[in-house]
């Protein structure tokens, strides 16, 4: 017969099946605020006129998004979408480009793109890097980086195309804007 563990601390990270209710809502609010705070911190580095972001800027907010989904489950996608939409509205208002349909369409596109990126990233990481993720073997680290890199093309592509559709990225600058944005998103890995 196996003896029972005698630990005074019984700690377990909440996963996708964690209990719902007030504690879950608090986690979601704190997570959304952390996501938004890191995104706001990087907006000062946005490159006009398209407001694309340099390489290191996306590290925190998209890293937090991926970690939130991996640790707390799919319900964090709501916080990611809400945070991305709010940050996009703020950026449009700050730059004076908030007009007409752009003020509605771009936040919705960015909310969906950020959520899709985090969901795809979490799915690819779980499938190819393994679960639990220990990142102790070179192969697992490589698969983790590859999964993150692949998922990061979503926000860059959808965001750049949406900005171009509204004339915020000149036709000649489309590739540069996409490359800057995708490099920033890929830096989360």
């Amino acid at each position: 017969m196996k003896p029972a563990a005698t630990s005074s601390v019984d700690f377990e990270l909440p996963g996708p099946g964690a209990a719902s209710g007030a504690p879950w809502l608090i986690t979601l609010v704190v997570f959304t605020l952390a996501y938004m705070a890191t995104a706001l911190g990087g907006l000062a580095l946005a490159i006009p006129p398209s407001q694309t972001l340099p390489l290191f800027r996306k590290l925190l907010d998209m890293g937090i998004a991926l970690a939130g989904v991996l640790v707390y489950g799919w319900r964090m996608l709501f916080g990611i979408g809400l945070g991305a939409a709010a940050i996009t509205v703020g950026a449009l208002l700050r730059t004076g480009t908030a007009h007409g349909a752009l003020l509605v369409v771009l936040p919705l596109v960015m909310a969906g793109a950020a959520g899709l990126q985090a969901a795809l990233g979490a799915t690819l990481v779980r499938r190819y890097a393994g679960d639990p993720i220990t990142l102790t073997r070179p192969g697992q680290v490589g698969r983790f980086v590859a999964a993150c890199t692949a998922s990061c093309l979503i926000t860059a592509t959808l965001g750049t195309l949406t900005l171009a559709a509204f004339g915020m990225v000149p036709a000649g600058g489309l590739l540069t804007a996409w490359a800057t944005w995708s490099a920033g998103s890929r830096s989360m890995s």
Side-chain angles (χ1 to χ4, degrees), residues 9 61 86 97 118 120 127 129 147 171 174:
V9 178
D61 60 323
T97 55
L120 179 62
R127 179 174 179 127
L174 192 62

Side-chain angles (χ1 to χ4, degrees), residues 121-179:
T123 300
L124 292 174
V125 164
R126 284 188 179 125
R127 179 174 179 127
Y128 295 108
D131 198 7
I133 303 162
T134 59
L135 300 179
T136 56
R137 296 179 316 275
Q140 188 183 43
V141 172
R143 289 187 299 275
F144 177 82
V145 170
C148 292
T149 300
S151 69
C152 286
L153 300 177
I154 293 171
T155 54
T157 302
L158 294 177
T160 302
L161 290 175
T162 304
L163 290 174
F166 281 94
M168 292 184 67
V169 177
L174 192 62
L175 185 58
T176 301
W178 180 85

Side-chain angles (χ1 to χ4, degrees), residues 26-177:
I26 292 168
T27 301
L28 180 65
V29 168
V30 170
F31 170 78
T32 303
L33 291 174
Y35 176 82
M36 290 175 65
T38 57
L40 278 173
L43 281 178
L45 304 172
I47 300 169
S50 64
Q51 298 302 306
T52 54
L53 301 163
L55 176 65
F56 55 88
R57 199 310 256 157
K58 295 295 284 180
L59 175 64
L60 290 176
D61 60 323
M62 293 316 295
I64 286 175
L66 177 62
V69 174
L70 287 172
V71 173
Y72 294 105
W74 301 114
R75 290 183 275 191
M76 289 295 113
L77 293 175
F78 176 76
I80 295 165
L82 182 64
I87 294 302
T88 303
V89 168
L92 290 171
L93 293 173
R94 181 180 63 90
T95 59
T97 55
H99 56 80
L102 181 66
L103 186 58
V104 175
V105 173
L106 188 60
L108 290 175
V109 168
M110 295 316 301
L116 184 59
Q117 178 170 309
L120 179 62
T123 300
L124 292 174
V125 164
R126 284 188 179 125
R127 179 174 179 127
Y128 295 108
D131 198 7
I133 303 162
T134 59
L135 300 179
T136 56
R137 296 179 316 275
Q140 188 183 43
V141 172
R143 289 187 299 275
F144 177 82
V145 170
C148 292
T149 300
S151 69
C152 286
L153 300 177
I154 293 171
T155 54
T157 302
L158 294 177
T160 302
L161 290 175
T162 304
L163 290 174
F166 281 94
M168 292 184 67
V169 177
L174 192 62
L175 185 58
T176 301

